[in-house]
CSV table of all heavy atoms in Angstrom, one decimal:
chain,number,residue,atom,x,y,z
W,1,MET,N,0.8,-1.2,0.0
W,1,MET,CA,0.0,0.0,0.1
W,1,MET,C,0.9,1.3,0.0
W,1,MET,O,1.9,1.4,0.7
W,1,MET,CB,-0.9,0.0,1.2
W,1,MET,CG,-2.1,-0.9,1.1
W,1,MET,SD,-3.4,-0.4,2.2
W,1,MET,CE,-2.6,-0.9,3.8
W,2,PRO,N,0.6,2.2,-0.8
W,2,PRO,CA,1.3,3.4,-0.9
W,2,PRO,C,0.9,4.3,0.3
W,2,PRO,O,-0.1,4.2,0.9
W,2,PRO,CB,1.0,4.0,-2.1
W,2,PRO,CG,-0.4,3.5,-2.5
W,2,PRO,CD,-0.5,2.1,-1.9
W,3,LEU,N,1.9,5.0,0.5
W,3,LEU,CA,1.8,6.1,1.6
W,3,LEU,C,1.6,7.4,1.1
W,3,LEU,O,2.3,7.9,0.3
W,3,LEU,CB,3.2,6.0,2.4
W,3,LEU,CG,3.2,6.9,3.8
W,3,LEU,CD1,2.2,6.2,4.8
W,3,LEU,CD2,4.5,6.8,4.3
W,4,TYR,N,0.4,8.0,1.5
W,4,TYR,CA,0.0,9.2,0.9
W,4,TYR,C,0.3,10.3,2.0
W,4,TYR,O,0.1,10.1,3.2
W,4,TYR,CB,-1.4,9.2,0.5
W,4,TYR,CG,-1.7,8.3,-0.7
W,4,TYR,CD1,-2.5,7.2,-0.6
W,4,TYR,CD2,-1.2,8.7,-1.9
W,4,TYR,CE1,-2.6,6.4,-1.7
W,4,TYR,CE2,-1.5,8.0,-3.0
W,4,TYR,CZ,-2.3,6.8,-2.9
W,4,TYR,OH,-2.5,6.0,-3.9
W,5,GLU,N,0.7,11.4,1.4
W,5,GLU,CA,0.9,12.6,2.3
W,5,GLU,C,-0.4,13.5,2.3
W,5,GLU,O,-0.6,13.8,1.1
W,5,GLU,CB,2.2,13.2,2.0
W,5,GLU,CG,2.5,14.4,2.8
W,5,GLU,CD,4.0,15.0,2.5
W,5,GLU,OE1,4.7,14.4,1.7
W,5,GLU,OE2,4.1,15.9,3.2
W,6,TYR,N,-0.8,14.0,3.3
W,6,TYR,CA,-1.9,14.8,3.2
W,6,TYR,C,-1.5,16.1,4.1
W,6,TYR,O,-0.6,16.2,4.9
W,6,TYR,CB,-3.1,14.3,4.0
W,6,TYR,CG,-3.8,13.3,3.2
W,6,TYR,CD1,-3.5,12.0,3.1
W,6,TYR,CD2,-4.8,13.7,2.5
W,6,TYR,CE1,-4.1,11.1,2.2
W,6,TYR,CE2,-5.6,12.8,1.6
W,6,TYR,CZ,-5.3,11.5,1.5
W,6,TYR,OH,-5.9,10.7,0.8
W,7,ARG,N,-2.2,17.2,3.6
W,7,ARG,CA,-2.0,18.4,4.5
W,7,ARG,C,-3.3,18.9,4.8
W,7,ARG,O,-4.2,19.0,4.0
W,7,ARG,CB,-1.3,19.4,3.5
W,7,ARG,CG,-0.8,20.7,4.3
W,7,ARG,CD,-0.1,21.6,3.5
W,7,ARG,NE,-0.8,22.0,2.3
W,7,ARG,CZ,-1.7,23.0,2.3
W,7,ARG,NH1,-1.8,23.7,3.4
W,7,ARG,NH2,-2.3,23.3,1.2
W,8,CYS,N,-3.5,19.4,6.0
W,8,CYS,CA,-4.7,20.0,6.6
W,8,CYS,C,-4.7,21.5,6.2
W,8,CYS,O,-3.9,22.1,6.8
W,8,CYS,CB,-4.9,19.5,8.0
W,8,CYS,SG,-6.3,20.4,8.7
W,9,PRO,N,-5.6,21.9,5.5
W,9,PRO,CA,-5.6,23.3,5.3
W,9,PRO,C,-6.1,24.2,6.5
W,9,PRO,O,-6.0,25.4,6.6
W,9,PRO,CB,-6.6,23.6,4.2
W,9,PRO,CG,-7.5,22.3,4.2
W,9,PRO,CD,-6.7,21.2,4.8
W,10,ALA,N,-6.7,23.5,7.5
W,10,ALA,CA,-7.2,24.2,8.6
W,10,ALA,C,-6.2,24.5,9.6
W,10,ALA,O,-5.9,25.6,10.1
W,10,ALA,CB,-8.2,23.3,9.3
W,11,CYS,N,-5.3,23.5,9.9
W,11,CYS,CA,-4.3,23.7,10.9
W,11,CYS,C,-3.0,23.5,10.4
W,11,CYS,O,-2.0,23.4,11.1
W,11,CYS,CB,-4.6,22.7,12.1
W,11,CYS,SG,-4.3,20.9,11.6
W,12,HIS,N,-2.8,23.2,9.1
W,12,HIS,CA,-1.6,23.1,8.3
W,12,HIS,C,-0.8,21.9,8.9
W,12,HIS,O,0.4,22.0,8.8
W,12,HIS,CB,-0.7,24.3,8.4
W,12,HIS,CG,-1.5,25.6,7.9
W,12,HIS,ND1,-1.7,25.8,6.6
W,12,HIS,CD2,-2.0,26.6,8.5
W,12,HIS,CE1,-2.4,26.9,6.5
W,12,HIS,NE2,-2.6,27.4,7.6
W,13,GLU,N,-1.4,21.0,9.4
W,13,GLU,CA,-0.7,19.8,9.9
W,13,GLU,C,-0.4,19.0,8.6
W,13,GLU,O,-1.3,18.8,7.7
W,13,GLU,CB,-1.6,19.0,10.8
W,13,GLU,CG,-1.1,17.5,11.2
W,13,GLU,CD,0.0,17.6,12.2
W,13,GLU,OE1,0.5,18.7,12.6
W,13,GLU,OE2,0.6,16.7,12.5
W,14,ARG,N,0.7,18.3,8.6
W,14,ARG,CA,1.0,17.4,7.5
W,14,ARG,C,1.2,16.0,8.0
W,14,ARG,O,1.9,15.8,9.1
W,14,ARG,CB,2.4,17.9,6.8
W,14,ARG,CG,2.3,19.2,6.1
W,14,ARG,CD,3.5,19.6,5.5
W,14,ARG,NE,3.9,18.6,4.4
W,14,ARG,CZ,4.7,19.1,3.4
W,14,ARG,NH1,5.3,20.1,3.5
W,14,ARG,NH2,5.0,18.3,2.5
W,15,PHE,N,0.5,15.1,7.4
W,15,PHE,CA,0.6,13.7,7.9
W,15,PHE,C,0.5,12.7,6.8
W,15,PHE,O,0.2,13.1,5.8
W,15,PHE,CB,-0.6,13.5,8.9
W,15,PHE,CG,-2.0,13.7,8.3
W,15,PHE,CD1,-2.8,12.8,7.8
W,15,PHE,CD2,-2.4,15.0,8.3
W,15,PHE,CE1,-4.0,13.0,7.3
W,15,PHE,CE2,-3.6,15.4,7.7
W,15,PHE,CZ,-4.4,14.4,7.2
W,16,GLU,N,0.8,11.5,7.2
W,16,GLU,CA,1.0,10.5,6.1
W,16,GLU,C,-0.1,9.3,6.4
W,16,GLU,O,-0.4,9.0,7.7
W,16,GLU,CB,2.2,10.0,6.0
W,16,GLU,CG,3.3,10.9,5.5
W,16,GLU,CD,4.6,10.4,5.5
W,16,GLU,OE1,4.9,9.5,6.4
W,16,GLU,OE2,5.5,10.8,4.7
W,17,VAL,N,-0.7,8.9,5.4
W,17,VAL,CA,-1.8,7.9,5.6
W,17,VAL,C,-1.5,6.7,4.6
W,17,VAL,O,-1.2,6.9,3.5
W,17,VAL,CB,-3.2,8.3,5.4
W,17,VAL,CG1,-4.1,7.3,5.5
W,17,VAL,CG2,-3.5,9.7,6.1
W,18,LEU,N,-1.5,5.5,5.1
W,18,LEU,CA,-1.4,4.4,4.2
W,18,LEU,C,-2.8,4.1,3.6
W,18,LEU,O,-3.9,4.0,4.3
W,18,LEU,CB,-1.0,3.2,5.0
W,18,LEU,CG,0.5,2.9,5.1
W,18,LEU,CD1,0.8,1.8,6.0
W,18,LEU,CD2,1.1,2.6,3.8
W,19,GLN,N,-2.9,4.1,2.4
W,19,GLN,CA,-4.1,3.9,1.7
W,19,GLN,C,-4.0,3.0,0.4
W,19,GLN,O,-2.8,2.8,-0.1
W,19,GLN,CB,-4.7,5.3,1.1
W,19,GLN,CG,-5.5,6.1,2.1
W,19,GLN,CD,-6.0,7.3,1.4
W,19,GLN,OE1,-5.4,8.2,0.9
W,19,GLN,NE2,-7.4,7.4,1.5
W,20,ARG,N,-5.1,2.4,0.1
W,20,ARG,CA,-4.9,1.6,-1.2
W,20,ARG,C,-5.0,2.6,-2.3
W,20,ARG,O,-5.4,3.7,-2.2
W,20,ARG,CB,-6.2,0.8,-1.2
W,20,ARG,CG,-6.2,-0.5,-0.3
W,20,ARG,CD,-7.4,-1.3,-0.2
W,20,ARG,NE,-8.6,-0.3,-0.3
W,20,ARG,CZ,-9.8,-0.9,-0.2
W,20,ARG,NH1,-10.1,-2.1,-0.1
W,20,ARG,NH2,-10.9,-0.1,0.1
W,21,VAL,N,-4.5,2.0,-3.4
W,21,VAL,CA,-4.5,2.9,-4.6
W,21,VAL,C,-5.9,3.1,-5.1
W,21,VAL,O,-6.7,2.1,-5.2
W,21,VAL,CB,-3.7,2.0,-5.8
W,21,VAL,CG1,-3.7,3.0,-7.1
W,21,VAL,CG2,-2.3,1.8,-5.2
W,22,GLY,N,-6.2,4.3,-5.2
W,22,GLY,CA,-7.6,4.6,-5.7
W,22,GLY,C,-8.5,5.2,-4.5
W,22,GLY,O,-9.6,5.6,-4.9
W,23,ASP,N,-8.0,5.1,-3.4
W,23,ASP,CA,-8.9,5.4,-2.3
W,23,ASP,C,-8.8,7.0,-2.5
W,23,ASP,O,-7.8,7.6,-2.5
W,23,ASP,CB,-8.3,5.1,-0.9
W,23,ASP,CG,-8.9,3.7,-0.6
W,23,ASP,OD1,-9.8,3.2,-1.4
W,23,ASP,OD2,-8.7,3.2,0.5
W,24,GLY,N,-10.1,7.6,-2.1
W,24,GLY,CA,-10.0,9.0,-2.1
W,24,GLY,C,-9.7,9.7,-0.7
W,24,GLY,O,-9.2,8.8,0.2
W,25,ALA,N,-9.9,10.9,-0.6
W,25,ALA,CA,-9.4,11.5,0.6
W,25,ALA,C,-10.6,11.6,1.7
W,25,ALA,O,-10.6,12.2,2.6
W,25,ALA,CB,-9.1,12.9,0.5
W,26,GLU,N,-11.8,11.0,1.2
W,26,GLU,CA,-13.0,11.0,2.0
W,26,GLU,C,-12.9,10.4,3.4
W,26,GLU,O,-13.5,10.9,4.4
W,26,GLU,CB,-14.3,10.5,1.2
W,26,GLU,CG,-14.5,11.1,0.0
W,26,GLU,CD,-13.8,10.5,-1.2
W,26,GLU,OE1,-13.3,9.4,-0.9
W,26,GLU,OE2,-13.6,11.2,-2.2
W,27,SER,N,-12.1,9.4,3.4
W,27,SER,CA,-12.0,8.7,4.7
W,27,SER,C,-10.8,9.1,5.5
W,27,SER,O,-10.5,8.6,6.7
W,27,SER,CB,-11.9,7.1,4.3
W,27,SER,OG,-10.7,6.9,3.5
W,28,VAL,N,-10.2,10.1,5.1
W,28,VAL,CA,-9.0,10.6,5.8
W,28,VAL,C,-9.4,11.9,6.6
W,28,VAL,O,-10.0,12.7,6.1
W,28,VAL,CB,-7.9,11.0,4.8
W,28,VAL,CG1,-6.7,11.5,5.5
W,28,VAL,CG2,-7.6,9.8,4.0
W,29,ARG,N,-8.9,11.8,7.7
W,29,ARG,CA,-9.2,13.0,8.7
W,29,ARG,C,-7.8,13.4,9.3
W,29,ARG,O,-6.9,12.6,9.6
W,29,ARG,CB,-10.1,12.7,9.8
W,29,ARG,CG,-11.6,12.6,9.2
W,29,ARG,CD,-12.6,12.1,10.2
W,29,ARG,NE,-12.3,12.3,11.6
W,29,ARG,CZ,-13.1,12.3,12.5
W,29,ARG,NH1,-14.3,11.9,12.3
W,29,ARG,NH2,-12.7,12.5,13.8
W,30,CYS,N,-7.7,14.7,9.4
W,30,CYS,CA,-6.6,15.3,10.1
W,30,CYS,C,-6.4,14.7,11.5
W,30,CYS,O,-7.4,14.8,12.3
W,30,CYS,CB,-6.7,16.8,10.1
W,30,CYS,SG,-5.4,17.6,11.0
W,31,PRO,N,-5.3,14.1,11.8
W,31,PRO,CA,-5.0,13.6,13.2
W,31,PRO,C,-5.0,14.8,14.2
W,31,PRO,O,-5.0,14.5,15.4
W,31,PRO,CB,-3.8,12.8,13.0
W,31,PRO,CG,-3.2,13.5,12.0
W,31,PRO,CD,-4.1,14.0,11.0
W,32,GLU,N,-4.8,16.0,13.7
W,32,GLU,CA,-4.6,17.1,14.7
W,32,GLU,C,-5.9,17.7,15.1
W,32,GLU,O,-6.1,17.8,16.3
W,32,GLU,CB,-3.6,18.1,14.0
W,32,GLU,CG,-3.1,19.2,15.0
W,32,GLU,CD,-2.1,18.5,16.0
W,32,GLU,OE1,-1.5,17.4,15.7
W,32,GLU,OE2,-2.0,19.2,17.0
W,33,CYS,N,-6.7,18.1,14.1
W,33,CYS,CA,-7.9,18.9,14.4
W,33,CYS,C,-9.1,18.1,14.0
W,33,CYS,O,-10.2,18.5,14.3
W,33,CYS,CB,-7.8,20.2,13.8
W,33,CYS,SG,-7.9,20.2,12.1
W,34,GLY,N,-8.9,16.9,13.3
W,34,GLY,CA,-10.1,16.1,13.0
W,34,GLY,C,-10.8,16.6,11.7
W,34,GLY,O,-11.9,16.1,11.5
W,35,ALA,N,-10.3,17.6,11.1
W,35,ALA,CA,-10.9,18.0,9.9
W,35,ALA,C,-10.9,17.1,8.8
W,35,ALA,O,-9.9,16.2,8.7
W,35,ALA,CB,-10.2,19.4,9.3
W,36,ARG,N,-11.9,17.1,8.0
W,36,ARG,CA,-12.2,16.1,7.0
W,36,ARG,C,-11.7,16.6,5.6
W,36,ARG,O,-11.6,16.0,4.6
W,36,ARG,CB,-13.4,15.5,6.9
W,36,ARG,CG,-13.9,14.9,8.2
W,36,ARG,CD,-15.2,14.2,8.1
W,36,ARG,NE,-15.1,13.0,7.3
W,36,ARG,CZ,-16.2,12.2,7.2
W,36,ARG,NH1,-17.3,12.4,7.8
W,36,ARG,NH2,-16.0,11.1,6.4
W,37,ASP,N,-11.5,18.0,5.6
W,37,ASP,CA,-11.3,18.6,4.4
W,37,ASP,C,-9.7,18.6,4.2
W,37,ASP,O,-9.1,19.7,4.2
W,37,ASP,CB,-11.8,20.0,4.4
W,37,ASP,CG,-11.7,20.6,3.0
W,37,ASP,OD1,-11.6,19.9,2.0
W,37,ASP,OD2,-11.6,21.9,2.9
W,38,VAL,N,-9.2,17.6,4.0
W,38,VAL,CA,-7.7,17.5,3.8
W,38,VAL,C,-7.3,17.3,2.3
W,38,VAL,O,-8.0,16.8,1.6
W,38,VAL,CB,-7.0,16.3,4.6
W,38,VAL,CG1,-7.2,16.6,6.1
W,38,VAL,CG2,-7.7,15.1,4.2
W,39,ALA,N,-6.2,17.8,2.0
W,39,ALA,CA,-5.7,17.8,0.6
W,39,ALA,C,-4.6,16.9,0.5
W,39,ALA,O,-3.6,17.0,1.3
W,39,ALA,CB,-5.3,19.2,0.3
W,40,ARG,N,-4.7,16.0,-0.4
W,40,ARG,CA,-3.6,15.1,-0.7
W,40,ARG,C,-2.4,15.8,-1.4
W,40,ARG,O,-2.6,16.4,-2.4
W,40,ARG,CB,-4.0,13.9,-1.5
W,40,ARG,CG,-3.0,12.8,-1.6
W,40,ARG,CD,-3.6,11.5,-1.7
W,40,ARG,NE,-4.2,11.1,-3.0
W,40,ARG,CZ,-5.0,10.1,-3.2
W,40,ARG,NH1,-5.0,9.2,-2.4
W,40,ARG,NH2,-5.5,9.8,-4.3
W,41,GLN,N,-1.3,15.5,-1.0
W,41,GLN,CA,-0.2,16.0,-1.6
W,41,GLN,C,0.4,15.1,-2.6
W,41,GLN,O,0.0,13.8,-2.6
W,41,GLN,CB,1.0,16.3,-0.7
W,41,GLN,CG,0.5,17.3,0.5
W,41,GLN,CD,0.1,18.5,0.0
W,41,GLN,OE1,0.9,19.4,-0.4
W,41,GLN,NE2,-1.2,18.8,0.1
W,42,LEU,N,1.2,15.5,-3.5
W,42,LEU,CA,1.7,14.5,-4.5
W,42,LEU,C,2.8,13.6,-3.8
W,42,LEU,O,3.5,14.1,-3.0
W,42,LEU,CB,2.5,15.3,-5.5
W,42,LEU,CG,1.6,16.1,-6.6
W,42,LEU,CD1,2.4,16.9,-7.5
W,42,LEU,CD2,0.7,15.2,-7.3
W,43,SER,N,2.6,12.3,-4.0
W,43,SER,CA,3.5,11.5,-3.4
W,43,SER,C,4.8,11.5,-3.9
W,43,SER,O,5.0,11.8,-5.1
W,43,SER,CB,2.9,10.0,-3.5
W,43,SER,OG,2.9,9.8,-4.8
W,44,THR,N,5.8,11.4,-3.0
W,44,THR,CA,7.1,11.6,-3.5
W,44,THR,C,7.7,10.5,-4.4
W,44,THR,O,8.5,10.7,-5.3
W,44,THR,CB,8.0,11.9,-2.3
W,44,THR,OG1,7.8,10.8,-1.4
W,44,THR,CG2,7.6,13.1,-1.6
W,45,PHE,N,7.3,9.2,-4.0
W,45,PHE,CA,8.0,8.1,-4.7
W,45,PHE,C,7.3,7.6,-6.0
W,45,PHE,O,7.9,6.9,-6.8
W,45,PHE,CB,8.1,6.9,-3.7
W,45,PHE,CG,6.8,6.4,-3.3
W,45,PHE,CD1,6.3,5.3,-4.0
W,45,PHE,CD2,6.2,6.9,-2.1
W,45,PHE,CE1,5.1,4.8,-3.6
W,45,PHE,CE2,4.9,6.4,-1.8
W,45,PHE,CZ,4.4,5.3,-2.5
W,46,ALA,N,6.0,8.0,-6.1
W,46,ALA,CA,5.4,7.5,-7.2
W,46,ALA,C,5.3,8.4,-8.4
W,46,ALA,O,4.7,8.4,-9.4
W,46,ALA,CB,3.9,7.3,-6.8
W,47,ALA,N,6.3,9.4,-8.4
W,47,ALA,CA,6.3,10.4,-9.4
W,47,ALA,C,7.2,9.8,-10.6
W,47,ALA,O,8.4,9.9,-10.5
W,47,ALA,CB,6.9,11.8,-8.9
W,48,GLY,N,6.5,9.2,-11.5
W,48,GLY,CA,7.2,8.7,-12.6
W,48,GLY,C,6.9,9.4,-13.9
W,48,GLY,O,6.8,10.7,-13.8
W,49,HIS,N,6.9,8.7,-14.9
W,49,HIS,CA,6.3,9.3,-16.1
W,49,HIS,C,7.2,10.5,-16.8
W,49,HIS,O,6.8,11.6,-16.7
W,49,HIS,CB,4.9,9.8,-16.1
W,49,HIS,CG,3.9,8.6,-16.0
W,49,HIS,ND1,3.8,7.9,-17.1
W,49,HIS,CD2,3.3,8.1,-15.1
W,49,HIS,CE1,2.9,6.9,-17.0
W,49,HIS,NE2,2.5,7.1,-15.7
W,50,ALA,N,8.5,10.1,-16.9
W,50,ALA,CA,9.3,11.2,-17.5
W,50,ALA,C,9.1,11.1,-18.9
W,50,ALA,O,9.8,10.5,-19.6
W,50,ALA,CB,10.8,10.9,-17.1
W,51,GLY,N,8.0,11.8,-19.3
W,51,GLY,CA,7.7,11.7,-20.7
W,51,GLY,C,8.0,12.9,-21.5
W,51,GLY,O,7.6,14.0,-21.2
W,52,GLY,N,8.7,12.7,-22.5
W,52,GLY,CA,9.0,13.8,-23.4
W,52,GLY,C,9.0,13.3,-24.8
W,52,GLY,O,9.7,12.6,-25.3
W,53,GLY,N,8.0,13.8,-25.5
W,53,GLY,CA,7.8,13.5,-26.8
W,53,GLY,C,8.9,14.2,-27.8
W,53,GLY,O,8.5,15.4,-28.1
W,54,ALA,N,9.9,13.6,-28.1
W,54,ALA,CA,10.9,14.2,-28.8
W,54,ALA,C,10.5,13.9,-30.3
W,54,ALA,O,10.9,12.9,-30.9
W,54,ALA,CB,12.3,13.7,-28.6
W,55,SER,N,9.7,14.7,-30.8
W,55,SER,CA,9.4,14.6,-32.1
W,55,SER,C,10.4,15.2,-33.3
W,55,SER,O,10.6,16.5,-33.1
W,55,SER,CB,7.9,15.2,-32.5
W,55,SER,OG,8.0,16.6,-32.2
W,56,SER,N,10.9,14.4,-34.0
W,56,SER,CA,11.8,15.1,-34.9
W,56,SER,C,11.0,15.7,-36.0
W,56,SER,O,10.4,15.1,-36.9
W,56,SER,CB,12.7,14.0,-35.6
W,56,SER,OG,11.9,13.0,-36.2
W,57,PHE,N,11.0,17.0,-35.8
W,57,PHE,CA,10.3,17.7,-36.8
W,57,PHE,C,11.1,17.7,-38.2
W,57,PHE,O,12.2,18.0,-38.3
W,57,PHE,CB,9.9,19.1,-36.4
W,57,PHE,CG,11.2,20.0,-36.0
W,57,PHE,CD1,11.7,20.7,-36.9
W,57,PHE,CD2,11.6,19.9,-34.7
W,57,PHE,CE1,12.8,21.6,-36.6
W,57,PHE,CE2,12.7,20.6,-34.4
W,57,PHE,CZ,13.2,21.5,-35.3
W,58,ALA,N,10.4,17.5,-39.2
W,58,ALA,CA,10.9,17.6,-40.6
W,58,ALA,C,11.4,18.9,-40.9
W,58,ALA,O,10.6,19.9,-40.7
W,58,ALA,CB,10.0,17.0,-41.6
W,59,ASP,N,12.6,19.0,-41.4
W,59,ASP,CA,13.1,20.4,-41.8
W,59,ASP,C,12.4,20.6,-43.1
W,59,ASP,O,13.0,20.2,-44.2
W,59,ASP,CB,14.5,20.4,-41.8
W,59,ASP,CG,15.0,21.8,-42.0
W,59,ASP,OD1,15.1,22.6,-41.0
W,59,ASP,OD2,15.2,22.1,-43.2
W,60,ALA,N,11.4,21.5,-43.2
W,60,ALA,CA,10.8,21.7,-44.4
W,60,ALA,C,11.5,23.0,-45.0
W,60,ALA,O,11.2,24.1,-44.7
W,60,ALA,CB,9.3,22.0,-44.2
W,61,GLY,N,12.5,22.7,-45.7
W,61,GLY,CA,13.2,23.8,-46.2
W,61,GLY,C,12.6,24.3,-47.6
W,61,GLY,O,13.0,23.9,-48.7
W,62,GLY,N,11.7,25.0,-47.5
W,62,GLY,CA,11.0,25.5,-48.8
W,62,GLY,C,11.6,26.8,-49.2
W,62,GLY,O,12.7,27.3,-48.8
W,63,GLY,N,11.1,27.4,-50.1
W,63,GLY,CA,11.3,28.8,-50.4
W,63,GLY,C,12.6,29.0,-51.2
W,63,GLY,O,13.4,29.8,-51.1
W,64,CYS,N,12.8,27.9,-52.1
W,64,CYS,CA,13.9,28.2,-53.0
W,64,CYS,C,13.3,29.1,-54.1
W,64,CYS,O,12.5,28.9,-54.8
W,64,CYS,CB,14.3,26.9,-53.8
W,64,CYS,SG,13.0,25.9,-54.5
W,65,GLY,N,13.8,30.2,-54.1
W,65,GLY,CA,13.2,31.3,-54.9
W,65,GLY,C,13.5,31.0,-56.3
W,65,GLY,O,14.7,30.9,-56.8
W,66,ARG,N,12.5,30.9,-57.1
W,66,ARG,CA,12.7,30.9,-58.5
W,66,ARG,C,13.3,32.2,-59.0
W,66,ARG,O,12.8,33.2,-58.9
W,66,ARG,CB,11.5,30.5,-59.3
W,66,ARG,CG,11.1,29.1,-59.1
W,66,ARG,CD,9.8,28.7,-60.0
W,66,ARG,NE,9.2,27.5,-59.5
W,66,ARG,CZ,8.0,27.2,-60.0
W,66,ARG,NH1,7.3,28.0,-60.8
W,66,ARG,NH2,7.4,26.1,-59.7
W,67,PRO,N,14.3,32.0,-59.9
W,67,PRO,CA,14.8,33.2,-60.4
W,67,PRO,C,13.7,33.7,-61.6
W,67,PRO,O,13.6,33.1,-62.6
W,67,PRO,CB,16.0,32.8,-61.1
W,67,PRO,CG,15.8,31.4,-61.3
W,67,PRO,CD,15.0,30.7,-60.2
W,68,GLN,N,13.1,34.6,-61.2
W,68,GLN,CA,12.2,35.2,-62.2
W,68,GLN,C,13.0,36.2,-63.1
W,68,GLN,O,13.3,37.3,-62.6
W,68,GLN,CB,11.1,36.0,-61.4
W,68,GLN,CG,10.0,35.0,-60.9
W,68,GLN,CD,9.0,35.9,-60.1
W,68,GLN,OE1,9.3,36.4,-59.1
W,68,GLN,NE2,7.9,36.0,-60.7
W,69,CYS,N,13.1,35.7,-64.2
W,69,CYS,CA,13.7,36.7,-65.1
W,69,CYS,C,12.6,37.7,-65.5
W,69,CYS,O,11.6,37.3,-66.0
W,69,CYS,CB,14.2,36.0,-66.5
W,69,CYS,SG,12.9,35.0,-67.2
W,70,GLY,N,12.8,38.9,-65.3
W,70,GLY,CA,11.7,39.8,-65.4
W,70,GLY,C,11.9,40.7,-66.5
W,70,GLY,O,12.9,40.9,-67.1
W,71,SER,N,10.7,41.1,-66.9
W,71,SER,CA,10.7,42.4,-67.5
W,71,SER,C,11.2,42.7,-68.8
W,71,SER,O,12.3,43.3,-68.9
W,71,SER,CB,11.5,43.4,-66.5
W,71,SER,OG,12.9,42.9,-66.6
W,72,GLY,N,10.5,42.3,-69.6
W,72,GLY,CA,10.7,43.0,-70.8
W,72,GLY,C,9.7,44.2,-71.2
W,72,GLY,O,9.6,44.6,-72.3
W,73,PHE,N,9.2,44.5,-70.0
W,73,PHE,CA,8.2,45.5,-70.3
W,73,PHE,C,8.8,47.0,-70.5
W,73,PHE,O,9.6,47.3,-69.8
W,73,PHE,CB,7.3,45.7,-69.1
W,73,PHE,CG,6.3,44.5,-69.1
W,73,PHE,CD1,6.4,43.5,-68.1
W,73,PHE,CD2,5.3,44.4,-70.0
W,73,PHE,CE1,5.5,42.4,-68.2
W,73,PHE,CE2,4.3,43.4,-69.9
W,73,PHE,CZ,4.5,42.4,-69.0
W,74,THR,N,8.2,47.4,-71.3
W,74,THR,CA,8.6,48.8,-71.6
W,74,THR,C,7.6,49.8,-71.3
W,74,THR,O,6.5,49.7,-71.8
W,74,THR,CB,9.1,49.1,-73.0
W,74,THR,OG1,9.1,47.9,-73.7
W,74,THR,CG2,10.4,49.7,-73.0
Y,101,ZN,ZN1,-6.0,19.7,10.9
């Protein structure tokens, strides 16, 4: 079971709770003041997903200027 870190906005107490994955914060109460309106912090160890889409963008080198021979206008 992962350990979640919570913070109580009422008394600013920080505490950790063992919860199952997917459990919400409804069953969690602040051990200090008993408030139920606690906010779960981002867990420190479960932060994965180093995702970077390195898309090799094609170098669209357009704009070869056609030599316009111009102007026989008089
Ligand atoms: Zn509290």
Side-chain angles (χ1 to χ4, degrees):
M1 278 199 297
L3 190 66
Y4 291 109
E5 183 177 356
Y6 282 85
R7 188 177 61 85
C8 175
C11 68
H12 303 287
E13 171 77 3
R14 296 179 68 162
F15 55 98
E16 293 172 332
V17 180
L18 271 173
Q19 278 189 296
R20 289 177 306 189
V21 178
D23 269 3
E26 297 86 22
S27 57
V28 179
R29 285 176 25 171
C30 173
E32 191 69 22
C33 69
R36 305 185 71 170
D37 188 25
V38 293
R40 181 151 76 186
Q41 307 297 291
L42 289 177
S43 63
T44 51
F45 64 92
H49 285 293
S55 63
S56 61
F57 58 93
D59 188 88
C64 50
R66 282 187 198 168
Q68 284 177 289
C69 52
S71 71
F73 283 109
T74 353

